[in-house]
Amino acid sequence: MKLKNLVSILSLFALALVTFTACQSEQNDELLEEEGKVSPEILAKLEAAYFDTSRAFTTNFMGEEGVAVEDMFFTYAQIDELQPIDPLAKHYRTTNLVSGLPRVITISVDPALGTLGSNALDATITMYNNLGLRISFSRVAFGQRGRNKANIEVTEFYELESGGFITLGRAAGFPTRKGDPAKGFGINSRWFELSIAPNVNELAGTMAHEIGHCIGLRHTDYQTRQSCGQNVNEGSAGVGAIYIPGTPTGSDTNSIMQSCGPAITFNNNDRIALETLY
Ligand SMILES: [Zn+2]
């Protein structure tokens, strides 16, 4: 849900638009290769952790320097923590989870995402809190500092589509070793300009997906990324890809944690996964 394959979902008219923008973004890609080029050493670490680095680039995200890969962002320190583990390890969670349960996680959204972003976050919070987990979410004001700063901040970024894909959201990693959720995620406001601009429920679904990463869920199709029209092994990152008992080991096309959607609500397996962890 973080990525959308534009070719598969756009009309012919829009396809022409994408072809045009793809040409445009080829130039951008060239620029990115110079300005945002990831060093071979870092690429090797990400690939050893079985991330798809085909569109990886260096960037500043939520105030920190690092690398965007798939719908994730990792600082260099986080990348150093990625260690290759058993690639055969089979609803998949990271090694670190949010601890200190029961726990209320505060969350805020950048006003730059407008009324749509605000309403979508409220809908996402309701989605999670209706599950009755030992973690729940409570909305607070955006832009607070210190102790009042939200545990998870929803920010805005703007990024053009590339190679027929648009990145809808980007999570700032997975839970920390201290047991805190990742500090937030971004929503690509470029999405709002396209013919596939989201309604409140679609945006809420993407937010729920990115929160899933922040609290330790990996993609349910991490082995193949087949929801993106790819067939690659995303593997089990050093952050872990630990099988969650009771969930399918194979394809689960209605899971909200597919790499490229289209689900916008939790399916039964998503609920089992979250109930098992939290
Ligand atoms: Zn994702």
Side-chain angles (χ1 to χ4, degrees):
M1 199 57 214
K2 171 227 172 284
L3 284 166
K4 259 205 190 311
N5 184 333
L6 292 165
V7 175
S8 67
I9 53 179
L10 291 181
S11 67
L12 282 178
F13 171 78
L15 197 56
L17 172 69
V18 167
T19 304
F20 173 73
T21 54
C23 295
Q24 296 287 84
S25 69
E26 270 176 30
Q27 295 175 342
N28 291 336
D29 287 347
E30 284 172 18
L31 284 175
L32 277 177
E33 278 178 18
E34 292 174 13
E35 297 175 8
K37 190 170 182 180
V38 184
S39 74
E41 182 190 19
I42 297 295
L43 277 181
K45 286 179 182 175
L46 291 167
E47 284 165 7
Y50 293 93
F51 281 95
D52 173 13
T53 60
S54 58
R55 286 184 298 276
F57 60 94
T58 63
T59 189
N60 183 299
F61 183 66
M62 296 186 73
E64 294 190 273
E65 295 295 326
V67 177
V69 58
E70 299 179 9
D71 68 335
M72 305 295 304
F73 170 85
F74 297 112
T75 64
Y76 294 105
Q78 287 173 313
I79 291 170
D80 278 338
E81 290 177 16
L82 299 177
Q83 294 171 4
I85 61 170
D86 178 7
L88 296 178
K90 298 172 204 171
H91 267 220
Y92 301 94
R93 68 169 176 87
T94 56
T95 304
N96 298 327
L97 293 173
V98 176
S99 61
L101 310 179
R103 182 161 166 185
V104 177
I105 296 171
T106 56
I107 187 164
S108 66
V109 61
D110 190 332
L113 288 167
T115 305
L116 179 61
S118 177
N119 291 343
L121 181 62
D122 285 339
T124 309
I125 289 171
T126 300
M127 284 173 67
Y128 272 95
N129 289 354
N130 281 349
L131 296 175
L133 307 174
R134 286 174 295 158
I135 53 172
S136 59
F137 294 87
S138 175
R139 184 158 169 186
V140 297
F142 183 79
Q144 306 296 303
R145 292 172 181 273
R147 292 185 54 164
N148 293 326
K149 185 179 171 72
N151 301 135
I152 293 177
E153 287 191 320
V154 185
T155 59
E156 180 263 355
F157 68 100
Y158 187 90
E159 190 174 296
L160 293 176
E161 41 285 40
S162 170
F165 284 86
I166 180 171
T167 299
L168 307 182
R170 174 171 293 138
F174 296 114
T176 67
R177 281 183 291 185
K178 286 174 56 184
D180 292 318
K183 68 177 185 177
F185 61 91
I187 293 294
N188 187 358
S189 57
R190 167 64 175 164
W191 183 18
F192 300 176
E193 300 175 339
L194 302 177
S195 59
I196 56 162
N199 62 32
V200 65
N201 291 326
E202 288 163 344
L203 183 55
T206 291
M207 288 182 172
H209 173 109
E210 302 304 337
I211 288 175
H213 288 315
C214 293
I215 63 174
L217 291 179
R218 290 209 58 185
H219 290 145
T220 39
D221 61 339
Y222 83 96
Q223 293 154 309
T224 61
R225 292 177 61 76
Q226 65 181 26
S227 65
C228 306
Q230 294 173 264
N231 184 20
V232 296
N233 190 334
E234 203 176 300
S236 52
V239 292
I242 301 168
Y243 172 63
I244 301 171
T247 61
T249 55
S251 171
D252 185 14
T253 54
N254 293 320
S255 166
I256 203 168
M257 293 311 296
Q258 291 260 89
S259 301
C260 292
I264 58 172
T265 56
F266 298 123
N267 74 1
N268 197 47
N269 297 318
D270 296 324
R271 283 190 286 272
I272 290 170
L274 286 163
E275 286 167 3
T276 300
L277 302 186
Y278 296 111

mmCIF file of all heavy atoms in Angstrom, residues 57-95:
data_model
loop_
_atom_site.group_PDB
_atom_site.id
_atom_site.type_symbol
_atom_site.label_atom_id
_atom_site.label_comp_id
_atom_site.label_asym_id
_atom_site.label_seq_id
_atom_site.Cartn_x
_atom_site.Cartn_y
_atom_site.Cartn_z
ATOM 1 N N PHE A 57 17.333 5.473 -2.810
ATOM 2 C CA PHE A 57 18.095 6.714 -2.972
ATOM 3 C C PHE A 57 18.313 7.359 -1.613
ATOM 4 O O PHE A 57 17.560 7.125 -0.672
ATOM 5 C CB PHE A 57 17.382 7.687 -3.926
ATOM 6 C CG PHE A 57 16.008 8.109 -3.476
ATOM 7 C CD1 PHE A 57 15.818 9.270 -2.741
ATOM 8 C CD2 PHE A 57 14.892 7.328 -3.794
ATOM 9 C CE1 PHE A 57 14.545 9.658 -2.334
ATOM 10 C CE2 PHE A 57 13.608 7.710 -3.384
ATOM 11 C CZ PHE A 57 13.445 8.878 -2.654
ATOM 12 N N THR A 58 19.386 8.149 -1.534
ATOM 13 C CA THR A 58 19.650 8.847 -0.280
ATOM 14 C C THR A 58 18.774 10.087 -0.205
ATOM 15 O O THR A 58 18.469 10.715 -1.216
ATOM 16 C CB THR A 58 21.123 9.277 -0.169
ATOM 17 O OG1 THR A 58 21.398 10.212 -1.207
ATOM 18 C CG2 THR A 58 22.063 8.083 -0.300
ATOM 19 N N THR A 59 18.355 10.417 0.988
ATOM 20 C CA THR A 59 17.481 11.568 1.140
ATOM 21 C C THR A 59 17.479 12.011 2.590
ATOM 22 O O THR A 59 18.014 11.326 3.467
ATOM 23 C CB THR A 59 16.033 11.225 0.680
ATOM 24 O OG1 THR A 59 15.244 12.421 0.646
ATOM 25 C CG2 THR A 59 15.387 10.213 1.609
ATOM 26 N N ASN A 60 16.878 13.180 2.819
ATOM 27 C CA ASN A 60 16.614 13.634 4.174
ATOM 28 C C ASN A 60 15.144 13.433 4.424
ATOM 29 O O ASN A 60 14.306 13.895 3.655
ATOM 30 C CB ASN A 60 16.989 15.119 4.316
ATOM 31 C CG ASN A 60 16.795 15.618 5.738
ATOM 32 O OD1 ASN A 60 15.699 15.607 6.283
ATOM 33 N ND2 ASN A 60 17.874 16.065 6.345
ATOM 34 N N PHE A 61 14.826 12.689 5.468
ATOM 35 C CA PHE A 61 13.430 12.379 5.753
ATOM 36 C C PHE A 61 13.172 12.587 7.234
ATOM 37 O O PHE A 61 13.902 12.080 8.077
ATOM 38 C CB PHE A 61 13.143 10.922 5.357
ATOM 39 C CG PHE A 61 11.705 10.495 5.525
ATOM 40 C CD1 PHE A 61 10.699 11.042 4.749
ATOM 41 C CD2 PHE A 61 11.375 9.540 6.469
ATOM 42 C CE1 PHE A 61 9.374 10.647 4.908
ATOM 43 C CE2 PHE A 61 10.053 9.133 6.630
ATOM 44 C CZ PHE A 61 9.061 9.685 5.851
ATOM 45 N N MET A 62 12.174 13.371 7.565
ATOM 46 C CA MET A 62 11.826 13.683 8.951
ATOM 47 C C MET A 62 13.057 14.180 9.711
ATOM 48 O O MET A 62 13.278 13.819 10.865
ATOM 49 C CB MET A 62 11.184 12.470 9.642
ATOM 50 C CG MET A 62 9.853 12.073 8.993
ATOM 51 S SD MET A 62 8.962 10.752 9.863
ATOM 52 C CE MET A 62 8.361 11.635 11.318
ATOM 53 N N GLY A 63 13.863 14.974 9.005
ATOM 54 C CA GLY A 63 14.975 15.647 9.673
ATOM 55 C C GLY A 63 16.248 14.844 9.798
ATOM 56 O O GLY A 63 17.198 15.278 10.446
ATOM 57 N N GLU A 64 16.298 13.664 9.174
ATOM 58 C CA GLU A 64 17.509 12.858 9.287
ATOM 59 C C GLU A 64 17.967 12.396 7.913
ATOM 60 O O GLU A 64 17.164 12.197 7.005
ATOM 61 C CB GLU A 64 17.257 11.636 10.184
ATOM 62 C CG GLU A 64 16.981 12.019 11.629
ATOM 63 C CD GLU A 64 16.970 10.800 12.534
ATOM 64 O OE1 GLU A 64 15.900 10.186 12.662
ATOM 65 O OE2 GLU A 64 18.023 10.477 13.098
ATOM 66 N N GLU A 65 19.273 12.211 7.788
ATOM 67 C CA GLU A 65 19.839 11.712 6.541
ATOM 68 C C GLU A 65 19.795 10.198 6.536
ATOM 69 O O GLU A 65 20.027 9.548 7.567
ATOM 70 C CB GLU A 65 21.298 12.179 6.402
ATOM 71 C CG GLU A 65 21.460 13.681 6.265
ATOM 72 C CD GLU A 65 20.845 14.225 4.985
ATOM 73 O OE1 GLU A 65 20.876 13.513 3.955
ATOM 74 O OE2 GLU A 65 20.320 15.357 5.023
ATOM 75 N N GLY A 66 19.515 9.642 5.376
ATOM 76 C CA GLY A 66 19.497 8.195 5.279
ATOM 77 C C GLY A 66 19.109 7.747 3.891
ATOM 78 O O GLY A 66 19.336 8.471 2.914
ATOM 79 N N VAL A 67 18.506 6.589 3.808
ATOM 80 C CA VAL A 67 18.196 5.982 2.521
ATOM 81 C C VAL A 67 16.729 5.564 2.485
ATOM 82 O O VAL A 67 16.224 4.945 3.424
ATOM 83 C CB VAL A 67 19.088 4.746 2.274
ATOM 84 C CG1 VAL A 67 18.715 4.061 0.964
ATOM 85 C CG2 VAL A 67 20.560 5.151 2.253
ATOM 86 N N ALA A 68 16.047 5.933 1.370
ATOM 87 C CA ALA A 68 14.688 5.469 1.121
ATOM 88 C C ALA A 68 14.782 4.190 0.301
ATOM 89 O O ALA A 68 15.463 4.153 -0.726
ATOM 90 C CB ALA A 68 13.881 6.522 0.369
ATOM 91 N N VAL A 69 14.127 3.142 0.771
ATOM 92 C CA VAL A 69 14.114 1.869 0.046
ATOM 93 C C VAL A 69 12.739 1.250 0.240
ATOM 94 O O VAL A 69 12.233 1.198 1.350
ATOM 95 C CB VAL A 69 15.255 0.943 0.531
ATOM 96 C CG1 VAL A 69 15.152 0.658 2.023
ATOM 97 C CG2 VAL A 69 15.294 -0.364 -0.257
ATOM 98 N N GLU A 70 12.118 0.792 -0.857
ATOM 99 C CA GLU A 70 10.712 0.381 -0.826
ATOM 100 C C GLU A 70 9.911 1.515 -0.182
ATOM 101 O O GLU A 70 10.093 2.667 -0.528
ATOM 102 C CB GLU A 70 10.551 -0.941 -0.057
ATOM 103 C CG GLU A 70 11.320 -2.098 -0.706
ATOM 104 C CD GLU A 70 11.168 -3.384 0.069
ATOM 105 O OE1 GLU A 70 10.358 -3.444 0.995
ATOM 106 O OE2 GLU A 70 11.869 -4.338 -0.277
ATOM 107 N N ASP A 71 9.004 1.199 0.782
ATOM 108 C CA ASP A 71 8.276 2.295 1.442
ATOM 109 C C ASP A 71 8.840 2.556 2.832
ATOM 110 O O ASP A 71 8.128 2.940 3.745
ATOM 111 C CB ASP A 71 6.763 2.034 1.516
ATOM 112 C CG ASP A 71 6.403 0.891 2.447
ATOM 113 O OD1 ASP A 71 7.259 0.023 2.660
ATOM 114 O OD2 ASP A 71 5.268 0.870 2.946
ATOM 115 N N MET A 72 10.154 2.325 2.933
ATOM 116 C CA MET A 72 10.808 2.519 4.224
ATOM 117 C C MET A 72 11.888 3.587 4.091
ATOM 118 O O MET A 72 12.403 3.838 3.011
ATOM 119 C CB MET A 72 11.482 1.219 4.695
ATOM 120 C CG MET A 72 10.576 0.015 4.764
ATOM 121 S SD MET A 72 9.246 0.147 5.987
ATOM 122 C CE MET A 72 10.150 0.472 7.499
ATOM 123 N N PHE A 73 12.220 4.181 5.222
ATOM 124 C CA PHE A 73 13.385 5.061 5.306
ATOM 125 C C PHE A 73 14.217 4.594 6.485
ATOM 126 O O PHE A 73 13.678 4.352 7.577
ATOM 127 C CB PHE A 73 12.975 6.510 5.523
ATOM 128 C CG PHE A 73 14.134 7.414 5.861
ATOM 129 C CD1 PHE A 73 14.914 7.971 4.862
ATOM 130 C CD2 PHE A 73 14.458 7.674 7.190
ATOM 131 C CE1 PHE A 73 15.998 8.782 5.186
ATOM 132 C CE2 PHE A 73 15.534 8.483 7.521
ATOM 133 C CZ PHE A 73 16.305 9.038 6.510
ATOM 134 N N PHE A 74 15.515 4.440 6.273
ATOM 135 C CA PHE A 74 16.407 4.051 7.353
ATOM 136 C C PHE A 74 17.543 5.069 7.473
ATOM 137 O O PHE A 74 18.125 5.477 6.456
ATOM 138 C CB PHE A 74 17.030 2.665 7.083
ATOM 139 C CG PHE A 74 16.035 1.548 7.013
ATOM 140 C CD1 PHE A 74 15.780 0.889 5.817
ATOM 141 C CD2 PHE A 74 15.338 1.128 8.145
ATOM 142 C CE1 PHE A 74 14.868 -0.154 5.746
ATOM 143 C CE2 PHE A 74 14.425 0.084 8.082
ATOM 144 C CZ PHE A 74 14.188 -0.553 6.880
ATOM 145 N N THR A 75 17.850 5.463 8.689
ATOM 146 C CA THR A 75 19.069 6.246 8.894
ATOM 147 C C THR A 75 20.261 5.304 8.729
ATOM 148 O O THR A 75 20.119 4.068 8.735
ATOM 149 C CB THR A 75 19.104 6.842 10.304
ATOM 150 O OG1 THR A 75 19.161 5.772 11.253
ATOM 151 C CG2 THR A 75 17.877 7.706 10.589
ATOM 152 N N TYR A 76 21.459 5.895 8.616
ATOM 153 C CA TYR A 76 22.647 5.044 8.451
ATOM 154 C C TYR A 76 22.866 4.176 9.687
ATOM 155 O O TYR A 76 23.316 3.041 9.582
ATOM 156 C CB TYR A 76 23.865 5.897 8.108
ATOM 157 C CG TYR A 76 23.712 6.546 6.750
ATOM 158 C CD1 TYR A 76 23.410 7.902 6.621
ATOM 159 C CD2 TYR A 76 23.807 5.778 5.587
ATOM 160 C CE1 TYR A 76 23.221 8.476 5.371
ATOM 161 C CE2 TYR A 76 23.618 6.341 4.339
ATOM 162 C CZ TYR A 76 23.328 7.696 4.234
ATOM 163 O OH TYR A 76 23.124 8.256 2.997
ATOM 164 N N ALA A 77 22.500 4.722 10.854
ATOM 165 C CA ALA A 77 22.629 3.915 12.076
ATOM 166 C C ALA A 77 21.676 2.724 12.029
ATOM 167 O O ALA A 77 22.031 1.605 12.429
ATOM 168 C CB ALA A 77 22.343 4.776 13.309
ATOM 169 N N GLN A 78 20.464 2.967 11.542
ATOM 170 C CA GLN A 78 19.506 1.853 11.434
ATOM 171 C C GLN A 78 19.991 0.815 10.431
ATOM 172 O O GLN A 78 19.822 -0.383 10.639
ATOM 173 C CB GLN A 78 18.121 2.379 11.025
ATOM 174 C CG GLN A 78 17.384 3.124 12.133
ATOM 175 C CD GLN A 78 16.104 3.768 11.636
ATOM 176 O OE1 GLN A 78 16.090 4.421 10.588
ATOM 177 N NE2 GLN A 78 15.020 3.585 12.369
ATOM 178 N N ILE A 79 20.595 1.301 9.343
ATOM 179 C CA ILE A 79 21.095 0.357 8.331
ATOM 180 C C ILE A 79 22.205 -0.497 8.924
ATOM 181 O O ILE A 79 22.292 -1.698 8.647
ATOM 182 C CB ILE A 79 21.578 1.121 7.079
ATOM 183 C CG1 ILE A 79 20.372 1.734 6.361
ATOM 184 C CG2 ILE A 79 22.358 0.193 6.141
ATOM 185 C CD1 ILE A 79 20.720 2.699 5.251
ATOM 186 N N ASP A 80 23.022 0.099 9.778
ATOM 187 C CA ASP A 80 24.095 -0.673 10.407
ATOM 188 C C ASP A 80 23.547 -1.795 11.279
ATOM 189 O O ASP A 80 24.236 -2.778 11.540
ATOM 190 C CB ASP A 80 24.990 0.248 11.249
ATOM 191 C CG ASP A 80 26.024 0.956 10.386
ATOM 192 O OD1 ASP A 80 26.322 0.442 9.283
ATOM 193 O OD2 ASP A 80 26.516 2.015 10.805
ATOM 194 N N GLU A 81 22.301 -1.618 11.749
ATOM 195 C CA GLU A 81 21.707 -2.661 12.597
ATOM 196 C C GLU A 81 21.087 -3.787 11.788
ATOM 197 O O GLU A 81 20.707 -4.821 12.346
ATOM 198 C CB GLU A 81 20.643 -2.043 13.511
ATOM 199 C CG GLU A 81 21.225 -1.155 14.594
ATOM 200 C CD GLU A 81 20.145 -0.499 15.438
ATOM 201 O OE1 GLU A 81 18.988 -0.953 15.378
ATOM 202 O OE2 GLU A 81 20.470 0.479 16.138
ATOM 203 N N LEU A 82 20.950 -3.567 10.491
ATOM 204 C CA LEU A 82 20.375 -4.618 9.650
ATOM 205 C C LEU A 82 21.412 -5.715 9.466
ATOM 206 O O LEU A 82 22.505 -5.467 8.980
ATOM 207 C CB LEU A 82 19.987 -4.059 8.273
ATOM 208 C CG LEU A 82 18.956 -2.945 8.213
ATOM 209 C CD1 LEU A 82 18.770 -2.497 6.764
ATOM 210 C CD2 LEU A 82 17.625 -3.400 8.780
ATOM 211 N N GLN A 83 21.063 -6.905 9.883
ATOM 212 C CA GLN A 83 21.985 -8.024 9.707
ATOM 213 C C GLN A 83 21.282 -9.141 8.976
ATOM 214 O O GLN A 83 20.129 -9.427 9.253
ATOM 215 C CB GLN A 83 22.470 -8.541 11.070
ATOM 216 C CG GLN A 83 23.320 -7.545 11.801
ATOM 217 C CD GLN A 83 23.602 -7.985 13.206
ATOM 218 O OE1 GLN A 83 23.216 -9.082 13.611
ATOM 219 N NE2 GLN A 83 24.272 -7.136 13.961
ATOM 220 N N PRO A 84 21.973 -9.766 8.046
ATOM 221 C CA PRO A 84 21.344 -10.878 7.348
ATOM 222 C C PRO A 84 21.038 -12.026 8.301
ATOM 223 O O PRO A 84 21.894 -12.388 9.117
ATOM 224 C CB PRO A 84 22.392 -11.295 6.303
ATOM 225 C CG PRO A 84 23.586 -10.468 6.536
ATOM 226 C CD PRO A 84 23.340 -9.513 7.648
ATOM 227 N N ILE A 85 19.826 -12.527 8.237
ATOM 228 C CA ILE A 85 19.498 -13.725 9.012
ATOM 229 C C ILE A 85 18.902 -14.745 8.062
ATOM 230 O O ILE A 85 18.817 -14.514 6.876
ATOM 231 C CB ILE A 85 18.552 -13.448 10.191
ATOM 232 C CG1 ILE A 85 17.228 -12.892 9.685
ATOM 233 C CG2 ILE A 85 19.204 -12.521 11.190
ATOM 234 C CD1 ILE A 85 16.177 -12.835 10.759
ATOM 235 N N ASP A 86 18.499 -15.842 8.586
ATOM 236 C CA ASP A 86 18.014 -16.958 7.780
ATOM 237 C C ASP A 86 16.983 -16.511 6.737
ATOM 238 O O ASP A 86 15.861 -16.151 7.091
ATOM 239 C CB ASP A 86 17.380 -17.986 8.726
ATOM 240 C CG ASP A 86 16.813 -19.160 7.961
ATOM 241 O OD1 ASP A 86 17.034 -19.240 6.740
ATOM 242 O OD2 ASP A 86 16.166 -19.998 8.612
ATOM 243 N N PRO A 87 17.340 -16.530 5.469
ATOM 244 C CA PRO A 87 16.404 -16.069 4.440
ATOM 245 C C PRO A 87 15.225 -17.000 4.259
ATOM 246 O O PRO A 87 14.260 -16.663 3.597
ATOM 247 C CB PRO A 87 17.264 -16.015 3.174
ATOM 248 C CG PRO A 87 18.383 -16.960 3.433
ATOM 249 C CD PRO A 87 18.628 -16.941 4.914
ATOM 250 N N LEU A 88 15.298 -18.171 4.871
ATOM 251 C CA LEU A 88 14.174 -19.103 4.749
ATOM 252 C C LEU A 88 13.160 -18.905 5.879
ATOM 253 O O LEU A 88 12.122 -19.547 5.899
ATOM 254 C CB LEU A 88 14.678 -20.553 4.753
ATOM 255 C CG LEU A 88 15.572 -20.922 3.561
ATOM 256 C CD1 LEU A 88 16.057 -22.357 3.683
ATOM 257 C CD2 LEU A 88 14.811 -20.735 2.251
ATOM 258 N N ALA A 89 13.553 -18.068 6.855
ATOM 259 C CA ALA A 89 12.596 -17.806 7.930
ATOM 260 C C ALA A 89 11.266 -17.364 7.324
ATOM 261 O O ALA A 89 11.249 -16.601 6.389
ATOM 262 C CB ALA A 89 13.115 -16.739 8.870
ATOM 263 N N LYS A 90 10.260 -17.891 7.776
ATOM 264 C CA LYS A 90 9.011 -17.537 7.117
ATOM 265 C C LYS A 90 8.392 -16.301 7.768
ATOM 266 O O LYS A 90 8.576 -16.164 8.899
ATOM 267 C CB LYS A 90 8.007 -18.657 7.215
ATOM 268 C CG LYS A 90 8.506 -19.836 6.556
ATOM 269 C CD LYS A 90 7.583 -20.931 6.847
ATOM 270 C CE LYS A 90 8.317 -22.148 6.702
ATOM 271 N NZ LYS A 90 7.613 -23.278 7.136
ATOM 272 N N HIS A 91 2.367 -13.315 7.974
ATOM 273 C CA HIS A 91 2.370 -12.196 8.711
ATOM 274 C C HIS A 91 3.541 -12.263 9.548
ATOM 275 O O HIS A 91 3.598 -13.113 10.381
ATOM 276 C CB HIS A 91 1.161 -12.152 9.417
ATOM 277 C CG HIS A 91 0.265 -11.422 8.670
ATOM 278 N ND1 HIS A 91 -0.504 -10.634 9.200
ATOM 279 C CD2 HIS A 91 0.145 -11.357 7.392
ATOM 280 C CE1 HIS A 91 -1.244 -10.146 8.393
ATOM 281 N NE2 HIS A 91 -0.892 -10.539 7.271
ATOM 282 N N TYR A 92 4.418 -11.657 9.345
ATOM 283 C CA TYR A 92 5.855 -11.448 9.471
ATOM 284 C C TYR A 92 6.096 -10.182 10.276
ATOM 285 O O TYR A 92 5.543 -9.146 9.983
ATOM 286 C CB TYR A 92 6.519 -11.337 8.097
ATOM 287 C CG TYR A 92 6.281 -12.576 7.273
ATOM 288 C CD1 TYR A 92 5.220 -12.644 6.391
ATOM 289 C CD2 TYR A 92 7.088 -13.686 7.443
ATOM 290 C CE1 TYR A 92 4.982 -13.790 5.657
ATOM 291 C CE2 TYR A 92 6.853 -14.850 6.713
ATOM 292 C CZ TYR A 92 5.792 -14.893 5.821
ATOM 293 O OH TYR A 92 5.540 -16.020 5.107
ATOM 294 N N ARG A 93 6.901 -10.396 11.302
ATOM 295 C CA ARG A 93 7.163 -9.257 12.167
ATOM 296 C C ARG A 93 8.656 -9.022 12.281
ATOM 297 O O ARG A 93 9.454 -9.899 11.986
ATOM 298 C CB ARG A 93 6.572 -9.493 13.568
ATOM 299 C CG ARG A 93 7.271 -10.609 14.364
ATOM 300 C CD ARG A 93 6.793 -10.579 15.813
ATOM 301 N NE ARG A 93 7.335 -11.660 16.605
ATOM 302 C CZ ARG A 93 8.509 -11.609 17.240
ATOM 303 N NH1 ARG A 93 9.289 -10.549 17.121
ATOM 304 N NH2 ARG A 93 8.919 -12.637 17.967
ATOM 305 N N THR A 94 9.011 -7.849 12.747
ATOM 306 C CA THR A 94 10.407 -7.537 12.975
ATOM 307 C C THR A 94 10.840 -8.089 14.335
ATOM 308 O O THR A 94 10.003 -8.476 15.154
ATOM 309 C CB THR A 94 10.624 -6.016 12.954
ATOM 310 O OG1 THR A 94 9.756 -5.413 13.912
ATOM 311 C CG2 THR A 94 10.307 -5.458 11.571
ATOM 312 N N THR A 95 12.137 -8.131 14.553
ATOM 313 C CA THR A 95 12.650 -8.649 15.821
ATOM 314 C C THR A 95 12.183 -7.774 16.980
ATOM 315 O O THR A 95 11.721 -8.266 18.010
ATOM 316 C CB THR A 95 14.186 -8.693 15.796
ATOM 317 O OG1 THR A 95 14.591 -9.467 14.660
ATOM 318 C CG2 THR A 95 14.732 -9.327 17.063
#
